[in-house]
Amino acid sequence: MPIIVNVDVMMAKRKMSLNELSEKVDLTLSNLSILKTGKAKAIRFSTLEAICKALDCQPGDILEFVD
């Protein structure tokens, strides 16, 4: 898939664990893990917004298009 999800990169930069992000974003660990590994087929804007707020970043820091 040409969309790369860089949640793990931003989590590492912010020194935040998956559990911590899960609590801040109010997503289950399994759903966050699916997103983190790039297996998700879609993401809601509300979820993307919550992740960006929790990680203090922009959507472009999390999602990347690679042709």
Side-chain angles (χ1 to χ4, degrees), residues 5-47:
V5 181
N6 293 316
V7 171
D8 52 344
V9 173
M10 290 308 299
M11 286 173 51
K13 286 183 179 179
R14 302 298 189 249
K15 295 182 174 124
M16 189 178 294
S17 70
L18 197 61
N19 286 332
E20 213 177 332
L21 184 60
S22 173
E23 289 173 11
K24 287 186 177 195
V25 178
D26 197 29
L27 273 179
T28 64
L29 281 173
S30 59
N31 282 340
L32 197 53
S33 182
I34 288 169
L35 180 63
K36 187 181 140 206
T37 58
K39 294 180 182 175
K41 298 294 181 196
I43 183 171
R44 292 178 189 209
F45 281 133
S46 58
T47 302

